[in-house]
Amino acid sequence: MGFWKNLFSGSDASSAPDTVQTEDYVAADAGEPVPQLLRDRNGNPLRIYFTTDRDIDLYELEELCDAVGWSRRPLRKVRKAIQYSFLVVSMWEQRGAKRRLIGFARATSDHAFNATLWDVVVHPDCQGKGLGKAMMKFLIKKLRSEDISNITLFADPHVVDFYRNLGFMPDPEGIKGMFWYPD
Amino acid sequence: MGFWKNLFSGSDASSAPDTVQTEDYVAADAGEPVPQLLRDRNGNPLRIYFTTDRDIDLYELEELCDAVGWSRRPLRKVRKAIQYSFLVVSMWEQRGAKRRLIGFARATSDHAFNATLWDVVVHPDCQGKGLGKAMMKFLIKKLRSEDISNITLFADPHVVDFYRNLGFMPDPEGIKGMFWYPD
């Protein structure tokens, strides 16, 4: 069974968006693009790629982050953060020869036990279609394949349920996420 | 004013333990030992070192973690986690030629924006003396000197107040720490 089918199989099937359908899946190692050939309601081909390739145009990423209203950050620091992240995942929509960045996420890690997710973003045009969920499942699968057992994140209040549906637990056993602020 | 004095100055002074007193401080760059010459109540010299040196005997670290009741972990993975952490801090008590590991903490990071602390431990014999606080302030200072602005951690319920006193906020603006568990 292909990865994409896997994503929307079993208990997840009911929440699978009907605007996308599985057509094809080519397994690929980390670092290679993972093409997903999908179709919209009208049968028009819609190709979604997930990739762990870090060669991302930082201006395009900034545009994506602008679209969800995030504060701008120095591109020099964004470049460094991508370089030193353990895993970087991006999601692309391809129409003909043109591709467009529609999602992004990255994880820091000690390469052994823990990973922490940062900068998870899906373009507003593409939200509510199950693509953010698909990207997250892709990311989790990658981390698990690297033997990372503890995947953590800090969720804004309005996305807590999104992550809960993916299997993330808030404050398990009373553990509190804490942020340092200077006195 | 020396670093150690800094640690216990101002509003922190009241919470400074009276079992240790500032005697000396030698500033050092990251990677070099930072000796703290202290005295106990009886005036006996007690030398505490903080260091970012990663050359730690893993069996000694395991012994320290055993002392606080943590589950044992494969040393091969602990070694890798230390190797790939952004910052590793250990705290040592030196008496004559002998030194003993009494504290440990490490941080993962993207080297640009965020750091997350893991495995913060102080030997039970040394708790309640302000040494954990001193180690944490040393660690925060190091991270800040590397231009990391967002320092995060996941705190067990019984240490939330310890971190709060150091300037860490639980769930700021409703942000939730979340952990992934397999379905």
Side-chain angles (χ1 to χ4, degrees):
Chain A
M1 189 169 70
F3 174 74
W4 189 261
K5 274 191 180 150
N6 236 327
L7 289 180
F8 297 119
S9 67
S11 60
D12 288 339
S14 58
S15 62
D18 62 357
T19 49
V20 292
Q21 288 173 30
T22 309
E23 291 292 332
D24 191 21
Y25 173 69
V26 181
D29 291 328
E32 291 178 42
V34 178
Q36 310 277 356
L37 179 57
L38 310 169
R39 286 178 191 280
D40 63 18
R41 269 187 208 281
N42 304 320
N44 297 320
L46 176 71
R47 193 178 273 274
I48 304 291
Y49 289 89
F50 300 114
T51 175
T52 56
D53 184 359
R54 290 163 197 241
D55 189 18
I56 294 168
D57 180 331
L58 296 185
Y59 293 100
E60 201 170 355
L61 178 58
E62 190 173 63
E63 214 172 287
L64 174 62
C65 296
D66 282 352
V68 293
W70 290 0
S71 304
R72 288 208 169 176
R73 299 175 297 182
L75 293 190
R76 149 193 85 75
K77 290 194 79 171
V78 174
R79 183 181 296 111
K80 195 174 180 188
I82 288 175
Q83 180 187 349
Y84 287 102
S85 289
F86 175 61
L87 179 67
V88 174
V89 166
S90 54
M91 179 165 63
W92 302 81
E93 183 192 81
Q94 183 130 17
R95 289 174 192 268
K98 277 192 75 173
R99 71 172 198 169
R100 174 189 172 214
L101 180 66
I102 58 169
F104 180 85
R106 62 187 179 85
T108 50
S109 175
D110 55 22
H111 299 210
F113 300 109
N114 310 297
T116 310
L117 310 190
W118 304 100
D119 300 346
V120 180
V121 55
V122 173
H123 195 284
D125 294 351
C126 306
Q127 290 178 14
K129 297 177 180 176
L131 292 174
K133 184 174 183 174
M135 183 178 74
M136 286 295 297
K137 291 213 168 188
F138 176 77
L139 188 154
I140 290 167
K141 205 177 168 90
K142 288 284 173 206
L143 291 174
R144 296 287 291 164
S145 74
E146 299 283 343
D147 204 21
I148 301 296
S149 51
N150 191 33
I151 306 174
T152 61
L153 57 82
F154 299 95
D156 282 325
H158 67 285
V159 288
V160 165
D161 284 340
F162 168 76
Y163 290 116
R164 204 194 302 262
N165 288 336
L166 281 159
F168 286 86
M169 278 266 294
D171 299 347
E173 298 175 52
I175 293 171
K176 274 283 168 205
M178 300 183 84
F179 286 66
W180 182 80
Y181 291 97
D183 297 330
Chain B
M1 189 167 71
F3 175 73
W4 189 261
K5 274 189 179 154
N6 237 326
L7 289 179
F8 297 119
S9 67
S11 60
D12 288 338
S14 59
S15 63
D18 61 358
T19 48
V20 291
Q21 287 172 29
T22 308
E23 291 293 333
D24 192 20
Y25 172 71
V26 180
D29 291 329
E32 290 178 42
V34 178
Q36 309 280 357
L37 179 57
L38 309 168
R39 288 178 190 280
D40 63 17
R41 270 186 207 282
N42 305 319
N44 298 319
L46 176 72
R47 193 180 274 272
I48 305 290
Y49 288 90
F50 300 114
T51 175
T52 56
D53 184 0
R54 290 163 197 240
D55 189 18
I56 294 169
D57 180 331
L58 296 185
Y59 293 100
E60 201 169 356
L61 178 58
E62 189 173 63
E63 213 172 286
L64 173 62
C65 295
D66 282 352
V68 292
W70 289 0
S71 304
R72 288 209 169 175
R73 298 176 297 182
L75 293 191
R76 148 192 87 75
K77 290 195 78 172
V78 174
R79 183 181 297 111
K80 195 173 179 187
I82 289 175
Q83 180 186 350
Y84 287 102
S85 289
F86 175 62
L87 179 67
V88 175
V89 166
S90 55
M91 178 165 64
W92 303 82
E93 183 192 82
Q94 183 129 18
R95 288 173 193 269
K98 277 192 74 171
R99 72 171 197 169
R100 174 190 173 214
L101 180 66
I102 59 168
F104 180 86
R106 63 187 178 86
T108 50
S109 176
D110 55 21
H111 299 211
F113 301 108
N114 310 297
T116 310
L117 309 189
W118 305 100
D119 301 346
V120 179
V121 54
V122 174
H123 195 284
D125 295 351
C126 305
Q127 290 177 13
K129 296 176 181 177
L131 292 174
K133 185 175 184 173
M135 182 177 75
M136 285 296 297
K137 290 213 170 191
F138 176 77
L139 187 153
I140 290 168
K141 204 178 170 85
K142 288 285 173 204
L143 290 174
R144 295 287 290 164
S145 74
E146 299 282 344
D147 203 21
I148 301 295
S149 52
N150 190 33
I151 307 175
T152 60
L153 56 82
F154 298 95
D156 283 325
H158 67 284
V159 287
V160 166
D161 284 340
F162 169 76
Y163 290 115
R164 202 193 303 261
N165 288 336
L166 280 158
F168 286 86
M169 277 266 293
D171 299 347
E173 299 175 53
I175 293 170
K176 275 282 168 205
M178 301 184 83
F179 286 66
W180 183 79
Y181 291 97
D183 297 330

